[in-house]
Amino acid sequence: MEQLLSYGWTTVALPLAVAVVVALTGRLTGRLTPYVAAVAPAWVLLYGAVALSSAIDAPGVLASGRTTWLAEAGLSVGWAVDGLTALMLVVVGLVAMLVMVFSAGYMAGESGLARYFAALSLFTASMSLLVVADGFVGLFIGWELVGVCSYLLIGFWFTKPAAAKAAVKAFLTTRVGDVGMLLALALLWREVGDLSYEAVFAAAGGIAPGVLTAASLLLLVGAIGKSAQFPLQIWLPDAMEGPTPVSALIHAATMVAAGVFLIARTWPLFSLSADALAVTLAIGGFTAVAAAAAAIAQRDIKKVLAYSTISQLGFMFAALGAGAWEAAVFHLVTHAAFKALLFLASGSVIHGSGTQDLYEMGGLMRSMPVTGVTWLLGAGALAGVAPLAGFFSKDEVLHAAWSADPAWAVVLFVASAFTAFYTARTTRLAFFGEYRGSGHPHEGGLDMRAPLLVLGAGAALLGFFGGPIAELAGGHHGELDLTVAAVSSVIALVGLAAGWVSARGATAPRDEAPYARALEWGAAGWKADAAVDSLLVRPVNALSRVLDARVDRGVVDRLAEGSAVLARRLGSGLAALQSGDAQWYAIMTGAGAVALLALVAYLGRGL
């Protein structure tokens, strides 16, 4: 099996080929389309698993290859597999495969399924390229292709205006971050002359500190955009307009984690810049608490999970800023399992009850027991309940933050309390009490239940593998801090109790409630969209109107129109000379000849 390691390029090529095949033959394969498409992530998973088993025995680069691209510029696209790469391939392959299987039931009866599964396969290829690339060029290509796939999948129901707008919003917002990343690559190219990881990391110690900090901060901007961190978090809640399995794949488990992977992969740069780490910690801590507070105010089950994802990614960024990239990767892996589980479980709820509104659910544990039990596993892991996966990985994040900056650690503890609160509130509103909807809730088929069970096992057990995960990624595993674990457990239990009590009665808060204004702001994501509209969109539109009136119409149009008027008038004047009188033509010809002779005599008088 280890011979497979020399075929790392196939983790990109095979999913790409499957995407083409599905796009061309999806209408013919019908119900088999999801399983044809699932071949791509299954291969990625198999390759990643083989690489992981090899990494246990031989840490470091396991296999690599290189293809020259733009030879005159000295650029090339290569691939390399090490423990961190293998770990990410397993995450991408497993979640993508389960999402495709789940989609077979969830998306049954939808039109355009060939396009849907082709886009999922293309996403798998793009994410694999991002992961296996051995330099910034390949990473950037995969990075951009992932953004394109996100646009296609969020806007899958493109006839729905909200979905079309959400897709454009996600694409444009993440492009803002990508500009920063592209500038970082240009800066590193100027300093090193090579964009392979090996060359850049080897030269990092000789780069001027200011330049190194600038490059790291620009890379951070790219990570902020892709991972929906403040202030570029505004696209992720709207991205819930796409199909729920898409949310589980690209907006919970893989694509949004690419920012965390980027910083972990380029750790030799970030580790040399204390300023870049401090900014990363501040952004992560602020995003974690603000997004968790916003999740409390949501009544759409998917919006709760969207803000939860932003918050949990904030925890990962905080761990990176605290210098514990291993803790961030550990939390990335556990979060991929329990958040993908929660998104797929929410999809099962939506499919079975016909609504996304928490206040139109209730009592679903009785009618959807598999979904309910697996949701409890994911919710417990999210809240940090021992001994579920999230307890262990979040403890490492909190411990690292406390060691680096106690003030930001306190902020993360508050975010943990908010997390437990909205988790309990959502769970009680959806699965307990009396059913408040109008439909007939029912469990999905085996193709929807099986992925929930697999991810449920991950949410329950992955926490016990923190040591191997850190070692495979090339780092060191921190010991469980009993004090931090005890404090975080107490906070989780208090938050769970408060959230459970808050959902008592299962009625939506009234507009006149004393906290209605806070809920309104939280439900709107603290008015981030309104702030962007006021600070950016409106001023740009106003400036555009001024430039249109004063410059475009007043100067450019007048120059263009004036030249046309001048040409017409000159033409009219010259047309008057065309009288048809032969004597007039002879006189004009003679006068012209005299004028030319006079000009020649004048110019040649000095010769």
Side-chain angles (χ1 to χ4, degrees), residues 223-224 226-229 235-236 250-261 280 283-285 287-288 291 306-320 328 331-332 335 339 397 412:
I224 287 171
K226 196 69 78 183
S227 293
Q229 296 295 283
W235 67 269
L236 186 56
I250 63 180
H251 303 134
T254 54
M255 182 189 118
V256 292
V260 179
F261 171 78
T280 304
I283 288 175
T287 304
Y307 281 104
S308 173
T309 297
I310 297 172
S311 177
Q312 293 303 302
L313 288 165
F315 275 89
M316 299 176 210
F317 272 71
L320 292 166
H331 198 49
L332 183 158
H335 178 263
K339 187 54 66 65
V397 172
L412 293 179

Side-chain angles (χ1 to χ4, degrees), residues 136-428:
F136 288 100
V137 176
L139 179 140
F140 189 74
I141 295 172
W143 191 273
E144 293 303 303
L145 287 174
V146 163
V148 172
C149 295
S150 177
Y151 168 80
L152 295 174
L153 290 166
I154 295 171
F156 173 72
W157 290 310
F158 57 87
T159 56
K160 183 181 176 184
K165 290 180 180 178
V168 172
K169 183 178 182 180
F171 188 79
L172 294 179
T173 304
T174 53
R175 295 291 76 71
V176 173
D178 293 353
V179 170
M181 184 176 176
L182 188 59
L183 291 174
L185 268 57
L187 189 58
L188 291 172
W189 171 256
R190 188 194 70 176
E191 294 294 319
V192 181
D194 192 330
L195 288 178
S196 67
Y197 292 145
E198 183 180 7
V200 172
F201 297 161
I207 299 176
V211 175
L212 190 65
T213 295
S216 299
L217 289 175
L218 288 170
L219 288 173
L220 176 62
V221 171
I224 287 171
K226 196 69 78 183
S227 293
Q229 296 295 283
F230 177 83
L232 299 179
Q233 82 287 356
I234 56 176
W235 67 269
L236 186 56
D238 289 348
M240 297 302 105
E241 293 292 341
T244 303
V246 169
S247 301
L249 176 61
I250 63 180
H251 303 134
T254 54
M255 182 189 118
V256 292
V260 179
F261 171 78
L262 170 65
I263 298 177
R265 175 55 78 195
T266 59
W267 189 249
L269 299 180
F270 277 83
S271 63
L272 297 176
S273 175
D275 292 336
L277 292 179
V279 173
T280 304
L281 174 58
I283 288 175
F286 178 79
T287 304
V289 71
I296 294 173
Q298 307 302 315
R299 59 184 295 168
D300 182 324
I301 190 171
K302 288 180 66 176
K303 287 289 183 71
V304 174
L305 297 178
Y307 281 104
S308 173
T309 297
I310 297 172
S311 177
Q312 293 303 302
L313 288 165
F315 275 89
M316 299 176 210
F317 272 71
L320 292 166
W325 67 269
E326 302 94 334
V329 171
F330 184 24
H331 198 49
L332 183 158
V333 173
T334 62
H335 178 263
F338 65 72
K339 187 54 66 65
L341 168 61
L342 290 172
F343 263 112
L344 292 185
S346 72
S348 180
V349 167
I350 295 167
H351 182 269
S353 65
T355 183
Q356 295 180 201
D357 192 334
L358 288 166
Y359 292 101
E360 295 177 4
M361 299 178 188
L364 297 181
M365 184 65 74
R366 294 187 293 273
S367 54
M368 305 176 69
V370 174
T371 300
V373 171
T374 53
W375 171 280
L376 289 179
L377 288 173
L382 172 61
V385 175
L388 301 178
F391 166 77
F392 294 99
S393 59
K394 189 178 292 185
D395 175 79
E396 285 202 20
V397 172
L398 293 171
H399 183 208
W402 184 263
S403 300
D405 190 331
W408 281 114
V410 171
V411 171
L412 293 179
F413 276 115
V414 173
S416 298
F418 288 163
T419 301
F421 185 96
Y422 69 69
T423 299
R425 170 184 171 272
T426 304
T427 300
R428 185 172 187 179

